[in-house]
Amino acid sequence: FMKCKNSEEYTIYENIRKELYDDSSVIKLSSLNATETALIIVDMINGFVHFGALSSDRINSIITPVSTLMKKCSERNIKIAAFADSHKSSAAEFSAFPPHCTEDSDESQIIPEIENICNFTLIRKNSTNGFHAPDFRTFLNDNPKINTFIVCGDCTDICVNNFCITLKTYFDQLDLASKIFVPVNAVETFDAGLHDADFMNTASLFLMKTSGIDIVKEIL
């Protein structure tokens, strides 16, 4: 798509981008029921933001919107959970990704810019899908009234995408109503070789949208 700017395929790509980035709605936090809502922060940790094999300068751009969401949710007593990659040195995931964010390392720690903003539940995860982390299932069980989720963080096309789609299908399987909001201004991914961040953001946001997840410009 990125090399075929005169092609029909590129026109389709641009139309999708317009729908996602220009036409997405804005949601007011005050419109959500605080007792039924949770903010989920995905992998805002040193190993993806500041240093390490998988760190990316692009992730820095969402520190401010993520921190703002944390402050506003805390003010409304909305529960907050933060995922943090934390692997053993022998992690199976390292067959697909370079070694990163080993447990108890500085890489696996929440970035200092947000770690002291407010109280949150820290959930360590050992895969690209935080839904499977035992502590997240505990979080769900401990908060049975929560059916609305705001998901932010990184990477849009990997951990955010995997978590959101699994969470949505979990509620669908149980025939329970749910809403999952992904604010475009508070998610990001990385550039690396064929992994074009702009394209991967667009593709993954579109996939989530067509899977029943609400893609919004931002949450005010």
Side-chain angles (χ1 to χ4, degrees):
F1 287 143
M2 304 308 291
K3 292 182 179 179
C4 301
K5 294 191 175 182
N6 294 319
S7 69
E8 180 180 350
E9 290 85 359
Y10 188 79
T11 300
I12 294 171
Y13 170 73
E14 282 298 294
N15 287 340
I16 291 172
R17 279 184 59 83
K18 185 179 187 304
E19 182 176 348
L20 288 171
Y21 297 100
D22 296 338
D23 298 337
S24 297
S25 60
V26 173
I27 297 295
K28 291 185 177 180
L29 195 59
S30 59
S31 69
L32 305 179
N33 186 326
T35 62
E36 297 177 353
T37 303
L39 172 64
I40 308 296
I41 303 160
V42 181
D43 284 339
M44 291 300 288
I45 55 178
N46 289 320
F48 294 127
V49 182
H50 292 311
F51 50 81
L54 296 184
S55 63
S56 171
D57 289 340
R58 288 183 66 111
I59 310 302
N60 278 274
S61 68
I62 63 170
I63 293 175
T64 296
V66 169
S67 62
T68 299
L69 270 174
M70 291 180 72
K71 292 172 186 175
K72 296 303 181 183
C73 286
S74 179
E75 290 170 2
R76 290 182 55 78
N77 294 316
I78 290 173
K79 291 188 180 297
I80 302 172
F83 285 118
D85 242 21
S86 184
H87 304 290
K88 295 186 181 301
S89 58
S90 59
E93 187 178 293
F94 295 167
S95 64
F97 298 96
H100 61 279
C101 303
T102 53
E103 57 186 5
D104 299 322
S105 69
D106 288 341
E107 285 188 25
S108 68
Q109 305 306 309
I110 298 292
I111 58 173
E113 292 91 338
I114 69 171
E115 64 177 340
N116 296 316
I117 287 178
C118 59
N119 293 325
F120 58 84
T121 300
L122 178 64
I123 300 176
R124 302 263 177 208
K125 65 183 182 69
N126 187 45
S127 79
T128 61
N129 192 339
F131 184 89
H132 300 304
D135 286 347
F136 179 70
R137 301 305 290 270
T138 300
F139 180 83
L140 280 181
N141 292 334
D142 289 346
N143 298 282
K145 291 184 179 180
I146 292 178
N147 58 21
T148 302
F149 300 83
I150 302 166
V151 184
C152 62
D154 63 281
C155 291
T156 318
D157 55 311
I158 305 173
C159 296
V160 172
N161 178 82
N162 291 350
F163 171 73
C164 287
I165 290 179
T166 305
L167 182 64
K168 183 69 173 69
T169 54
Y170 166 79
F171 278 93
D172 288 350
Q173 175 65 31
L174 297 176
D175 260 340
L176 296 174
S178 66
K179 295 289 284 185
I180 302 172
F181 295 99
V182 175
V184 172
N185 73 320
V187 292
E188 188 54 275
T189 191
F190 61 94
D191 268 321
L194 293 177
H195 188 279
D196 181 271
D198 289 336
F199 175 76
M200 296 308 295
N201 272 329
T202 299
S204 54
L205 289 169
F206 184 67
L207 175 61
M208 285 188 276
K209 182 170 184 173
T210 57
S211 298
I213 293 157
D214 288 281
I215 306 301
V216 298
K217 278 186 177 180
E218 59 182 314
I219 296 179
L220 300 176

